[in-house]
Amino acid sequence: MTSLGGVEMVDWNLAVATATRLVRPGPNVSRDEARATVAELRRHAKSSEEHVRDFTRMGPAEAVDSDTPVLIVDRPGWVRANVAGFRELLTPLLERMEERRSNLPGGAVLGAVGGKVTGVEVGMLLSFMASRVLGQFETFAPATRELPAGTDGGGRLLLVAPNIVHVERELEVDPRDFRLWVCLHEETHRTQFAGVPWLRDHLKGEIQTFLGETEMDPSTFLERLREAVQSLTGSREGAPAEESADRGSLVELVQTPAQREILGRLTAVMSLLEGHADYVMDGVGPQVVPSVAEIREKFQKRRASGAGRLDQVLRRVLGLDAKLRQYREGERFVRAVVDEVGMDGFNRVWTSPNTLPTKAEIAKPADWVARVHRKPE
């Protein structure tokens, strides 16, 4: 447990407690309906494996770890799972901050109250996210009772049952089709990491290098945080509205120059992974999801709309608008490459970190094709 003078840098228990207290309740379902939903999601998660493997051609059946846990969770369960993943990733950064405690201006005060404050802030953000995520492949899941020791690296698939039910009702789509459609997307992520053994460590290394570049001077961090909040709310004195609108998320505004370079690489990888999952989901869909066209049309409209001003501000702060762009840009990249060189030609993207697209290549797929598929002279 990482701490400063015996006080945790982030009070993770408080983060969980805050999030579970603030998260909105899910849709009303009977106990029988809940059990039936969980059972159906498990069936769809299993059947999605073969559909995705056949479409992507990402290796034989044994290449996909069918033993990877599939957890059907509620909103508090999603919070607890993600806090565990955050702790796994952030431990090196927090340990580094502990080592520098004595040199940090105001370090004693930050150590006394910072963990509680940060815990509440993390909990508030998690409560916002917990009612919106339909599912995820948790790449950096630590060993738990659900994920036994020795299987770290396999990750686990999370499906958030109340959110799936909420959205299918909101969109008024066929529940069976929608649940399978969601599972196809998340199963693609599981196939990506199971079929590309180096991908997890590559991503983890990039993220931890990003965190390692974090400036430790709290006065600098707080100044950047102040500027971020002001820019996001458009309250910086004298700033035109257009300028405020062009500013990035809070995450983007607290970077060093080195971090911006790393973020560019991470953005490209995440665009690839998300776009590939969307492409596969739509490619498999017509064969196994009869109402896929209706679901896609309604879901795209839902993605593009904001629920209100507070929702839009939170999306901006968390960088969720950037994530929506990743889906669109990544899917266009995958589609363009497959159209040009076929699925096997596209799959050369998984050869090594050197064959991953750059951020510029995501926008210009032909440049990636020229680089990776150029004939030796």
Side-chain angles (χ1 to χ4, degrees):
M1 184 177 294
T2 303
S3 64
L4 286 178
V7 179
E8 283 190 273
M9 288 292 298
V10 179
D11 189 329
W12 298 107
N13 291 332
L14 182 58
V16 172
T18 300
T20 54
R21 184 175 68 252
L22 295 178
V23 71
R24 291 181 294 182
N28 291 324
V29 295
S30 68
R31 182 170 297 182
D32 288 344
E33 287 175 315
R35 288 173 176 168
T37 299
V38 169
E40 184 174 25
L41 287 171
R42 289 195 183 281
R43 290 196 301 272
H44 289 331
K46 182 63 178 176
S47 66
S48 294
E49 293 179 27
E50 184 175 358
H51 295 312
V52 171
R53 186 174 63 246
D54 290 346
F55 184 81
T56 62
R57 304 180 194 171
M58 289 188 69
E62 58 269 20
V64 178
D65 183 5
S66 298
D67 293 330
T68 300
V70 177
L71 303 183
I72 315 299
V73 298
D74 58 10
R75 291 170 178 177
W78 181 87
V79 168
R80 289 190 293 271
N82 277 267
V83 163
F86 288 162
R87 294 188 74 164
E88 180 82 0
L89 277 179
L90 291 176
T91 292
L93 172 63
L94 299 182
E95 288 177 346
R96 186 176 175 193
M97 292 184 70
E98 182 179 7
E99 292 172 0
R100 298 192 177 190
R101 178 191 181 282
S102 60
N103 297 322
L104 290 174
V109 175
L110 290 175
V113 302
K116 298 292 185 184
V117 172
T118 308
V120 170
E121 291 173 344
V122 169
M124 292 174 67
L125 297 181
L126 286 172
S127 72
F128 171 76
M129 295 292 296
S131 61
R132 287 158 176 78
V133 175
L134 301 182
Q136 72 183 82
F137 181 72
E138 195 186 6
T139 314
F140 306 112
T144 66
R145 285 178 297 178
E146 294 86 1
L147 185 60
T151 61
D152 182 45
R156 57 186 176 184
L157 191 62
L158 301 181
L159 296 169
V160 190
N163 294 351
I164 293 172
V165 172
H166 171 78
V167 173
E168 69 192 27
R169 289 179 177 179
E170 179 184 298
L171 299 181
E172 298 182 337
V173 294
D174 180 86
R176 178 266 175 196
D177 284 6
F178 184 74
R179 294 169 190 180
L180 177 55
W181 189 72
V182 171
C183 287
L184 289 169
H185 182 102
E186 303 309 331
E187 178 58 38
T188 302
H189 288 316
R190 177 159 66 164
T191 299
Q192 290 164 348
F193 284 93
V196 186
W198 53 264
L199 184 57
R200 178 186 185 273
D201 287 342
H202 173 72
L203 259 184
K204 187 173 184 179
E206 289 278 63
I207 292 171
Q208 294 195 334
T209 302
F210 179 92
L211 295 175
E213 291 290 334
T214 301
E215 293 181 359
M216 295 297 119
D217 180 358
S219 62
T220 300
F221 179 83
L222 290 173
E223 175 63 19
R224 290 191 178 194
L225 182 61
R226 182 183 65 83
E227 292 177 358
V229 172
Q230 289 180 342
S231 70
L232 290 166
T233 59
S235 63
R236 189 161 62 87
E237 186 176 358
E242 294 83 359
E243 180 180 338
S244 295
D246 289 339
R247 300 296 289 271
S249 70
L250 186 150
V251 173
E252 293 170 330
L253 287 168
V254 294
Q255 297 164 23
T256 65
Q259 285 177 309
R260 280 190 284 273
E261 292 184 14
I262 299 169
L263 185 69
R265 297 195 297 270
L266 283 171
T267 298
V269 175
M270 297 311 297
S271 295
L272 170 69
L273 298 179
E274 296 294 354
H276 183 234
D278 263 14
Y279 178 81
V280 172
M281 183 168 57
D282 286 346
V284 174
Q287 285 74 47
V288 298
V289 182
S291 60
V292 64
E294 177 192 1
I295 290 173
R296 165 57 80 185
E297 180 182 2
K298 290 183 175 181
F299 194 75
Q300 290 286 43
K301 289 180 180 178
R302 183 181 185 274
R303 269 184 180 174
S305 65
R309 180 168 178 78
L310 177 59
D311 188 87
Q312 291 170 359
V313 169
L314 285 171
R315 285 178 180 272
R316 189 77 177 277
V317 169
L318 293 172
L320 294 184
D321 290 338
K323 184 174 177 63
L324 296 181
R325 288 196 300 273
Q326 287 174 4
Y327 284 106
R328 294 191 296 268
E329 294 171 359
E331 196 274 341
R332 282 196 294 266
F333 170 85
V334 176
R335 185 173 300 279
V337 172
V338 173
D339 287 347
E340 179 70 20
V341 296
M343 184 63 76
D344 291 334
F346 165 79
N347 280 339
R348 290 181 65 174
V349 76
W350 312 116
T351 304
S352 75
N354 292 330
T355 57
L356 291 172
T358 64
K359 188 176 180 181
E361 288 171 340
I362 287 289
K364 296 183 177 180
D367 290 354
W368 180 87
V369 172
R371 176 172 68 86
V372 174
H373 287 269
R374 63 175 179 262
K375 296 180 180 179
E377 298 179 359

